[in-house]
Amino acid sequence: MRFTLPISLLAVPAVHAAVGGRCTPAGGANSRSICISTSVCRSYGGTYVNNRCPDDPADIKCCSVDNCLDNSSFCTWTGANNECEGIPQAVFVSGYCPGGSNYKCCNYGA
């Protein structure tokens, strides 16, 4: 008797980050980074690293933005278990970070 698996069960989904989405995790990478173009990253005062946004165009890099509003702020993801919620008196501020409405400036010096 011969046993075979359908091809769809053998396929392993590719891991990739979408433009405007979270960077793929890696040792030392923080969870608050976003896959965005290098020019947009620089325009927000961010820094970027390579190889955390696989399968995206060459100009899309993993961007981190600190000091988005002042020295007591950083860009991060909103939603459950975000980095901002554990900081006393921290608030999210819109308009200071690249990306969509779920990626905002966490101001902990408010």
Side-chain angles (χ1 to χ4, degrees), residues 14-76:
V15 175
H16 61 90
V19 175
R22 293 179 189 263
C23 300
T24 57
N30 68 40
S31 61
R32 62 184 191 223
S33 301
I34 186 171
C35 291
I36 204 89
S37 74
T38 57
S39 60
V40 170
C41 182
R42 283 192 305 269
S43 73
Y44 281 89
T47 58
Y48 54 87
V49 296
N50 295 322
N51 304 319
R52 300 292 179 260
C53 302
D55 300 329
D56 286 337
D59 188 44
I60 304 301
K61 305 290 182 192
C62 183
C63 177
S64 296
V65 180
D66 291 320
N67 307 321
C68 44
L69 184 62
D70 58 27
N71 289 338
S72 300
S73 61
F74 57 88
C75 292
T76 192

Side-chain angles (χ1 to χ4, degrees), residues 67-108:
N67 307 321
C68 44
L69 184 62
D70 58 27
N71 289 338
S72 300
S73 61
F74 57 88
C75 292
T76 192
W77 298 96
T78 62
N81 301 317
N82 66 70
E83 288 189 46
C84 198
E85 72 182 11
I87 303 172
Q89 299 180 3
V91 295
F92 281 114
V93 183
S94 297
Y96 294 92
C97 298
S101 61
N102 62 340
Y103 193 72
K104 295 183 180 179
C105 185
C106 174
N107 184 14
Y108 55 91

